[in-house]
Structures are given as structure tokens and as C-alpha cells.
Amino acid sequence: MKTIEKYTFDLSDKVTRQKITFKNRYGITLTGDLYVPKKHNNKPFPALAICGPFGAVKEQSSGLYANQLAERGFVTLAFDPSFTGESEGNPRNVASPDINTEDFSSAVDFLGIQKIVDRNQIGIIGICGWAGFALNAAAVDKRIKAVVTTSMYDMSRVMAKGYYDKMTKEERTKILEKLGEQRWKDSESGLFHAGELINPEKLKGDEPQFIKDYYEYYRTSRGYHARSLNSTGSWNATNPLSFMNMPILTYITEISPRPILLIAGENAHSRYFSEDAYKSASEPKELLIIPNAVHVDLYDKISSIPFDKIENFFKENLK
């Protein structure tokens, strides 16, 4: 197992990494890692803010992406979302469609005031559940010049409707009633109770393949990190509440005329989120399906993640 101080990837000898902090507009201090190319020509760099997956930390996938793209000439910022990892915010272990969208914009704030960054050339990358937040942030924040998503989840959709939108009205009502009861329990005790463990310590063996894939990443030395909720913990029991009636892709068409690149694995259980976002978005947009890849392959498998494509996309569009 990786220890809490470790990263799940090796730092490139072509970049430097520095821990930094910045505040979002709710006053929450976020912690991130800033990756800077060692080679430069004294001109400001284009920059990328990167976050995800949902429940992960900067020492996992987002840091790997930041490391790879800093090698390719970008200043990159991988950060922990509010309420998780090394970022501040109480209560712990909670997510918010509003605040987590704001986290991306506050990362853009930070990058845009760095002397080594050209603030007119800032893009963002959202991985897994953070892909939906990235699209929402790009829609509202016109400073973001281009956006890439990989292995996209729309967290508001999956919590509100279930996988493949199969949740019935009756099922949704029961969930909301249960969440309401949980709020009283939390209020009576003065505690925010934890929900179910995200990834169990051991599998039973009869889980869906994508659950086994998550386990193989988060619960093994491949991607384990002690601060990652997906490796060790749970979201608060009431975490789904705000997601269930705040759809985050309502204004996806307003990203246009800035470009979108959506990347998904051919065999990913989540592929439909990217395909539907592509259908809803306005031009310019592109959907890239990676042959034979599953959802978690785009977390860390260098051979599956199309870094050449991502590099060219941003170099063409951050102008």
C-alpha cells in the first residue's frame, strides 16, 4: 500500500512540483500541487486546472494528468476539492454541485494571478465525477477557454435517476424520505453520520465488473491513498441531497463557442454520460472513444489516456 505521503505515480524529472493553497469565494482554503515545466523560454505558460475523480485526491489521477501535461509545456494545478483531502471545509467528506463547481473557478483565479501563467490561456480537465463539474464551470466561467473530460460522470444525474436513468419515482421518493430522516438523526446527535463505505476492504466476488475495477484501482497499491475517500472512507450519509434536484449540465450549450473534448472508454459503464453530454453540447465539440478501455483505465493507464490528443487540443484552443 502507498503511504499517506506518497503519490501513485513518479514525478517527472522534467517538471517541478510545489504544494500551494488558495481560497474559493466561500472562504474555503483549498490545497493543490502546482506542476511547472523546467524548460521555458521566459514567456508565460498556458495553464490547466485538473481535478477528479469523485472521492479521489490530488496524489492520484489528477496529479498524474498534471505531471504528464506539465512535461508537455503547461503549468498544471491538481487540487483537492473542498471538504476532502488536504483542503479545508467542514463538515468533512461532503460534496456540493455548487461549491465543487466553484472550486474549479477558484483554481482558475489562482492560476490567472501567477506571473508564469498567461491568464488568457487557461483550460480545465475534469476526471470522472469532476467532468460534470468541469462542464458546469466552463458554462458559467467565460475565462475558461477549453475543457476536457475523461471517464465522465454526471453526479447530479446518477444520484437523481440512478444508473442508466432506471430509478423510478417511487424509489426516488423513498431515498429522499430516508435522507430526510437521516437529517433528524444527524441533528439529534450533532454529528454528520457517514454513509456506506465507498469501496469495501474485500469483495464478495459477485459484484458488477465496474465495481471490481474500482476496487482494483482504489484498494490496491495501484491507486490507493490514505486520504482518498474511495480508498478508505465514505461520504456523509446525506451527501446525495443537493445533487438530486440541482442538475449541473443545464447550461452546457453556453460553453460554446469554446471547445469541448469528451473522452470515454469503449467498454466503460459510464460511457453514456459522455455520449449524452456530447449530444447536448453545442459546437465546437468532439467525442473520443478509446478502444477496449474501461472507466478506470483513463485514471492512470498511460497507454490508454490520449495525452497526445489532449496536448494538441489545448495547444490549438488556448489562444
Side-chain angles (χ1 to χ4, degrees):
M1 294 292 187
K2 300 284 186 180
T3 65
I4 197 167
E5 294 82 13
K6 296 292 182 66
Y7 288 73
T8 61
F9 57 93
D10 294 325
L11 179 65
S12 168
D13 60 6
K14 298 177 182 178
V15 307
T16 61
R17 178 172 60 207
Q18 176 187 0
K19 186 171 290 188
I20 56 87
T21 60
F22 56 97
K23 286 184 181 290
N24 67 20
R25 68 184 181 89
Y26 295 107
I28 299 170
T29 299
L30 278 69
T31 299
D33 286 324
L34 188 69
Y35 294 76
V36 179
K38 289 182 178 178
K39 184 178 180 180
H40 60 86
N41 57 8
N42 296 318
K43 291 183 179 180
F45 290 99
L48 304 170
I50 308 169
C51 199
F54 192 71
V57 289
K58 63 187 178 302
E59 292 84 1
Q60 296 172 312
S61 299
S62 60
L64 181 148
Y65 274 67
N67 185 58
Q68 289 284 326
L69 288 161
E71 276 194 340
R72 295 162 182 263
F74 301 89
V75 168
T76 57
L77 173 58
F79 62 92
D80 288 336
S82 295
F83 312 110
T84 62
E86 291 188 297
S87 290
E88 295 181 352
N90 284 298
R92 303 302 293 167
N93 306 338
V94 67
S96 162
D98 178 16
I99 296 173
N100 291 146
T101 296
E102 158 62 20
D103 288 345
F104 259 125
S105 287
S106 62
V108 173
D109 293 344
F110 174 84
L111 288 170
I113 62 172
Q114 305 308 308
K115 292 181 179 179
I116 59 172
V117 169
D118 182 342
R119 66 167 55 178
N120 295 311
Q121 298 186 61
I122 299 177
I124 60 175
I125 299 175
I127 307 164
C128 182
W130 274 79
F133 299 137
L135 294 172
N136 196 30
V140 75
D141 191 336
K142 305 305 181 183
R143 302 172 301 170
I144 297 168
K145 295 301 191 295
V147 57
V148 168
T149 69
T150 61
S151 288
M152 178 187 171
Y153 258 67
D154 175 350
M155 296 309 303
S156 57
R157 178 179 176 185
V158 74
M159 290 193 198
K161 300 180 180 180
Y163 282 107
Y164 308 104
D165 302 337
K166 288 185 177 180
M167 184 188 296
T168 65
K169 182 179 179 181
E170 290 73 22
E171 289 170 335
R172 174 180 165 86
T173 298
K174 287 182 180 179
I175 290 172
L176 290 171
E177 289 173 347
K178 183 179 179 181
L179 290 169
E181 292 293 331
Q182 184 64 50
R183 291 187 67 127
W184 271 323
K185 293 177 183 177
D186 291 353
S187 294
E188 287 172 346
S189 66
L191 299 171
F192 291 96
H193 291 91
E196 295 182 2
L197 199 63
I198 298 171
N199 286 297
E201 293 184 17
K202 292 184 179 180
L203 293 177
K204 298 176 182 177
D206 59 352
E207 292 87 355
Q209 184 57 47
F210 75 93
I211 298 296
K212 295 177 181 178
D213 292 340
Y214 282 137
Y215 180 93
E216 200 277 328
Y217 179 76
Y218 287 111
R219 280 291 189 176
T220 72
S221 58
R222 173 183 168 190
Y224 177 91
H225 195 280
R227 281 194 294 268
S228 169
L229 288 177
N230 292 337
S231 290
T232 64
S234 309
W235 293 103
N236 288 351
T238 56
N239 197 54
L241 268 172
S242 57
F243 287 91
M244 293 189 73
N245 68 341
M246 295 185 188
I248 56 178
L249 298 188
T250 302
Y251 296 100
I252 190 172
T253 59
E254 295 188 8
I255 298 174
S256 177
R258 294 160 296 146
I260 302 170
L261 172 61
L262 303 113
I263 304 169
E266 178 185 17
N267 299 324
H269 69 285
S270 57
R271 175 176 168 174
Y272 73 100
F273 289 118
S274 295
E275 292 175 331
D276 288 354
Y278 176 78
K279 292 174 186 175
S280 298
S282 298
E283 296 285 355
K285 58 183 178 179
E286 183 176 356
L287 175 65
L288 178 62
I289 303 299
I290 306 302
N292 303 315
V294 298
H295 181 89
V296 300
D297 286 343
L298 300 185
Y299 285 8
D300 68 334
K301 290 193 175 180
I302 304 299
S303 59
S304 296
I305 303 169
F307 282 116
D308 288 345
K309 174 69 176 181
I310 295 171
E311 174 189 359
N312 291 333
F313 172 82
F314 280 122
K315 285 186 174 177
E316 290 173 4
N317 293 297
L318 296 184
K319 296 178 180 178

